[in-house]
Amino acid sequence: MTTDNTRVDFWFDPSCPWAWMTSRWVDEVATHRDLDVHWHIMSLAILNENNDVPESYRAFFPRALRYARVVATAEALHGAETLKPLYDALGRRIHLDERATDIEAVVAESLAEAGLDASIADRALPDADGRFEFEAELRASHRSGIDLVGDDVGTPIIAVNGVAFFGPVISPAPRGEQALALWDGVVAAASYDGFFELKRSRTRDPIFS
């Protein structure tokens, strides 16, 4: 079991429904345990930019990158404390309201809800030469998570007191004692240095209710 004042680092791509589900689980655990959660941006588009993936999956990357860049811009301009409220605002619209393709409206509304300046939306756009102002910061945050677990993973990445792992991939997010039991089991398994993988085929889509 984890102890009080447990540091948790969570890397997310705002567009990933599985990362959103896991983040809600971490929120639930944090209501019962003394977790010090630090949120970080990562990008599935960056992770797979040189990988051979289906075109249907690659077509999703520009939208995902837009959302990730908005989060990275907010962090660069206003600090890490902006990440969680902005992620919450984006995630509700992208995943719960199923408005992922309504990109600019989702960005504008989410910035407003998080108390952030609307100009962040424009600062997060690439310039005429395709350069994103905070590309280095986004990639550094992404890499800080990937370096802990390796490239053959996805989002989310979680580190608990420095012990990192990909996932868990869950649906729906458990509540109460079930959430705590899963937390203790996952953290215990990950804490063994020789533990690498536990997997079964997904039999359901994300359940957001």
Side-chain angles (χ1 to χ4, degrees), residues 4-21:
D4 288 347
N5 300 310
T6 300
R7 170 155 180 149
V8 178
D9 291 272
F10 191 107
W11 283 263
F12 64 92
D13 183 312
S15 294
C16 178
W18 299 105
W20 173 259
M21 195 75 62

Side-chain angles (χ1 to χ4, degrees), residues 39-60:
W39 302 86
H40 311 274
I41 187 66
M42 67 177 292
S43 169
L44 289 171
I46 291 174
L47 181 66
N48 291 284
E49 60 188 353
N50 297 316
N51 293 341
D52 183 16
V53 298
E55 280 305 313
S56 58
Y57 186 43
R58 190 170 296 279
F60 148 86

Side-chain angles (χ1 to χ4, degrees), residues 19 22 53 55-56 61 64-65 84 112 138 146 163 174 179 185 198 205 208:
T22 307
V53 298
E55 280 305 313
S56 58
F61 292 158
L65 193 57
K84 184 56 161 59
L138 172 57
I146 291 296
V163 175
L198 178 69
D205 291 330
F208 295 116

